[in-house]
Amino acid sequence: MMNPKVILSPIDFSDSSLEALDVARDIASRYNSLIVLVHVVPVIPKLPGDASIFHEGDYERGLIGMAEQRLADLAAKLQ
């Protein structure tokens, strides 16, 4: 059997995904593997400007920024 070099760990910040990350960390430490964290920010539909006071772009940038920070925090803990 070949040892895994890279382990892909999808993260949605739920308890289940964090438990899966713990398993990935165990495997990575056993085989000296790299863990790649993946998170998907849902697409915000673009609404007509005259139909909404909701600022989709600002909201989406906030979601992305928050996800980036949480991923950076997780990556720092893994190191």
Side-chain angles (χ1 to χ4, degrees):
M1 178 176 109
M2 294 177 51
N3 296 340
K5 295 179 183 175
V6 178
I7 299 169
L8 181 67
S9 187
I11 298 293
D12 63 3
F13 306 111
S14 67
D15 291 341
S16 298
S17 70
L18 295 174
E19 289 172 10
L21 180 57
D22 287 339
V23 173
R25 181 181 10 201
D26 274 351
I27 294 170
S29 67
R30 220 176 281 160
Y31 296 106
N32 198 28
S33 305
L34 176 70
I35 296 176
V36 176
L37 301 175
V38 177
H39 177 74
V40 176
V41 175
V43 174
I44 306 298
K46 299 295 180 198
L47 302 173
D50 59 346
S52 173
I53 60 169
F54 182 67
H55 299 282
E56 304 89 5
D58 293 339
Y59 180 70
E60 189 172 47
R61 281 187 289 281
L63 288 176
I64 292 169
M66 193 170 17
E68 287 174 341
Q69 183 59 52
R70 291 180 79 181
L71 285 171
D73 292 346
L74 277 175
K77 285 181 185 178
L78 289 173
Q79 297 215 357

